[in-house]
Amino acid sequence: MKGNVWESVKKWFYEKKCYHIFPLLIYMTLYLFWFHLVEMIPRSWYFSITMPFDYLIPFCEYFVIFYLSWFGFVAAGLVFMFFYDRDSFDQLQTMLMIGMTLFLVLSTILPNRQPLRLLEMPRDNIFTRMIIVLWRTDTPTNVWPSIHVYNSAVIAIAFFKSKKKKLQTLPVRLLIGIWSAGIIASTAFVKQHSLFDIISALALTVIVYIVVYTYGKVYHCKKWDAMWEAKTKGA
């Protein structure tokens, strides 16, 4: 009985090509380890990331909701694309891995920080308290280019470029567009990132978009697909 269940699970796993998520899972393990090292290794200097316009952007604690929603936005976007549009998922994970790797390289060779955080909160409410907790857990170092901005833009692109008709509807595009734009704006309003971080992340998004969507450089798990097709034909 157990053997039959296991065989059914294996068959479903391969028929649905669930192994397409392996590259991203493996990569995220390496990414988190590398980023932890970059954050933990003591540095004698940091490159300060600021622009004059940063000091004209008002602090708005309400945007912390958008900022924290990034985790759900990225996770939901990945899960949805994985099960609903596998081709778009492959393009999405490729863009994520390229951009996040470049971020790690820059953080390693050019340790950076932003000095925009407030010394004292202008108000006391649930949102400012959330930001205080956020600032305690998330350092202002190695912030360039903003992964919050880059990943949000990449998720939005995956939805906008999907050929699935249900994703081409106006409500879906409005939801994704407003959500991603809110997250991007929040990085400046809660003083987590400089405008320079945001501009750099969007510029990186354009470059990686050209690589993936224009030149078709996408990791498609072709070897795994070929193995499954050969096994199916031989069965």
Side-chain angles (χ1 to χ4, degrees):
M1 184 67 179
K2 288 184 179 179
N4 292 334
V5 172
W6 173 242
E7 287 301 319
S8 297
V9 171
K10 275 178 58 178
K11 184 178 180 181
W12 175 85
F13 181 87
Y14 282 104
E15 283 181 346
K16 297 297 181 181
K17 298 182 178 180
C18 293
Y19 48 78
H20 277 238
I21 202 167
F22 283 172
L24 186 60
L25 290 178
I26 295 170
Y27 174 80
M28 286 307 301
T29 302
L30 298 174
Y31 171 86
L32 292 172
F33 177 72
W34 187 350
F35 183 71
H36 179 71
L37 285 180
V38 170
E39 284 282 272
M40 294 300 294
I41 295 175
R43 304 298 184 103
S44 59
W45 65 276
Y46 284 94
F47 180 66
S48 185
I49 304 289
T50 54
M51 293 181 72
F53 191 73
D54 288 324
Y55 299 97
L56 300 178
I57 299 174
F59 172 77
C60 184
E61 66 268 27
Y62 307 113
F63 273 88
V64 71
I65 300 300
F66 267 118
Y67 189 86
L68 295 177
S69 74
W70 173 82
F71 298 97
F73 184 67
V74 173
L78 283 168
V79 170
F80 188 87
M81 282 297 168
F82 180 74
F83 287 105
Y84 191 71
D85 188 346
R86 191 58 54 78
D87 288 336
S88 290
F89 174 82
D90 288 343
Q91 292 168 322
L92 171 58
Q93 73 170 341
T94 302
M95 287 193 73
L96 288 172
M97 291 189 289
I98 293 174
M100 293 168 74
T101 300
L102 290 174
F103 161 78
L104 287 173
V105 171
L106 287 172
S107 296
T108 302
I109 63 177
L110 283 174
N112 54 85
R113 69 184 303 276
Q114 59 88 354
L116 300 171
R117 293 183 175 182
L118 306 181
L119 296 177
E120 186 177 332
M121 287 295 171
R123 293 166 292 279
D124 179 25
N125 55 48
I126 184 63
F127 303 105
T128 55
R129 292 172 193 170
M130 290 169 69
I131 291 177
I132 290 172
V133 174
L134 172 64
W135 287 354
R136 285 174 180 168
T137 56
D138 190 6
T139 70
T141 56
N142 301 313
V143 294
W144 171 65
S146 170
I147 289 300
H148 252 68
V149 171
Y150 179 80
N151 286 3
S152 298
V154 167
I155 293 289
I157 287 171
F159 275 85
F160 291 153
K161 293 292 292 184
S162 175
K163 295 179 181 178
K164 299 292 184 180
K165 290 184 177 180
K166 289 184 179 179
L167 300 184
Q168 296 175 355
T169 62
L170 182 60
V172 171
R173 295 198 166 188
L174 279 175
L175 173 63
I176 297 301
I178 293 172
W179 197 352
S180 61
I183 293 172
I184 291 170
S186 74
T187 62
F189 284 115
V190 301
K191 302 302 177 181
Q192 277 293 97
H193 287 280
S194 163
L195 185 61
F196 186 72
D197 301 335
I198 298 172
I199 294 172
S200 300
L202 293 176
L204 179 61
T205 303
V206 172
I207 294 170
V208 179
Y209 172 88
I210 293 171
V211 171
V212 172
Y213 284 90
T214 302
Y215 290 99
K217 302 300 182 181
V218 182
Y219 191 85
H220 278 305
C221 299
K222 291 181 179 179
K223 290 184 179 180
W224 285 76
D225 287 344
M227 289 172 57
W228 171 244
E229 289 173 6
K231 185 177 180 180
T232 303
K233 289 179 181 179

